[in-house]
Amino acid sequence: MIHELPKLPYKMDALAPHISEETLDFHYGKHHQAYVNNLNNLVPGTEFENADLETLIRKADGGIYNNAAQVWNHTFYFNSFSADGRPIAAGQLADAINDSFGSFDNMRDEFNKAAATLFGAGWAWLALDDNGKLSIVKESNAGNPLREGLKPIMTCDVWEHAYYIDYRNKRP
Ligand code: MN
């Protein structure tokens, strides 16, 4: 199975000024692509040759896990943006946010705090458990909540490569 870099659902300059075209050139065009290339170099000849990304995230370790998770995480992250903006959570998601955090604003504050305070490289996640409860999860490096049986709902990449071109050291 050959893993491929998925197309973005918007143009490279569509997220400016929040995320510049230069950041996307590097983040999507070079970093995301590199994780895809690394994965395709690592899996041939292993038990994971025909495994999809979610299987790799649940079962692999070391370089295969790291690169598979980074491919999945970046695809999920880039697909969560829209050039046109989207309404805030409604319906079932809004209910789950209110049940779990009290309000949308509380969820946003907790999510932002988790992303800002995560030490080193990693990902902040909003994730859903089997009981319909949402939580904020901080994961280092390539960490993905699928590995703990949670369903990812939203993520923020806090690796420096995600923001350093546009914001330098100002992660928050
Ligand atoms: Mn990244």
Side-chain angles (χ1 to χ4, degrees):
M1 166 167 185
I2 307 290
H3 298 277
E4 288 178 10
L5 183 70
K7 294 257 181 290
L8 289 180
Y10 40 76
K11 292 193 174 134
M12 295 292 277
D13 62 357
L15 306 180
H18 310 291
I19 296 175
S20 67
E21 181 171 4
E22 187 183 6
T23 288
L24 272 186
D25 274 338
F26 277 85
H27 197 184
Y28 168 75
K30 299 195 189 304
H31 291 282
H32 197 179
Q33 179 71 65
Y35 297 124
V36 171
N37 296 345
N38 292 343
L39 187 61
N40 284 325
N41 288 330
L42 286 168
V43 291
T46 72
E47 61 183 299
F48 297 116
E49 212 159 24
N50 297 309
D52 63 16
L53 288 176
E54 294 194 8
T55 302
L56 295 175
I57 288 170
R58 291 193 174 96
K59 298 194 171 155
D61 289 300
I64 293 180
Y65 168 74
N66 285 333
N67 285 285
Q70 286 293 78
V71 172
W72 195 102
N73 296 356
H74 282 92
T75 298
F76 189 74
Y77 171 75
F78 288 129
N79 275 287
S80 71
F81 296 114
S82 163
D84 309 319
R86 284 182 184 152
I88 63 167
Q92 218 181 341
L93 177 59
D95 291 344
I97 288 170
N98 289 332
D99 286 349
S100 303
F101 300 98
S103 70
F104 183 89
D105 286 348
N106 278 347
M107 183 279 293
R108 183 178 52 198
D109 290 348
E110 272 192 48
F111 186 88
N112 287 346
K113 189 175 156 203
T117 59
L118 196 159
F119 186 77
W123 299 79
W125 297 89
L126 178 66
L128 186 69
D129 70 16
D130 287 341
N131 301 317
K133 191 85 176 166
L134 289 164
S135 61
I136 309 280
V137 181
K138 288 157 90 162
E139 295 274 359
S140 292
N141 302 317
N144 183 307
L146 282 170
R147 201 159 167 103
E148 288 98 53
L150 298 173
K151 182 179 184 183
I153 302 295
M154 179 172 76
T155 194
C156 183
D157 186 349
V158 297
W159 285 57
E160 283 188 344
H161 68 220
Y163 59 84
Y164 213 83
I165 290 170
D166 295 331
Y167 300 98
R168 298 304 176 191
N169 60 322
K170 298 188 184 77
R171 184 197 285 185

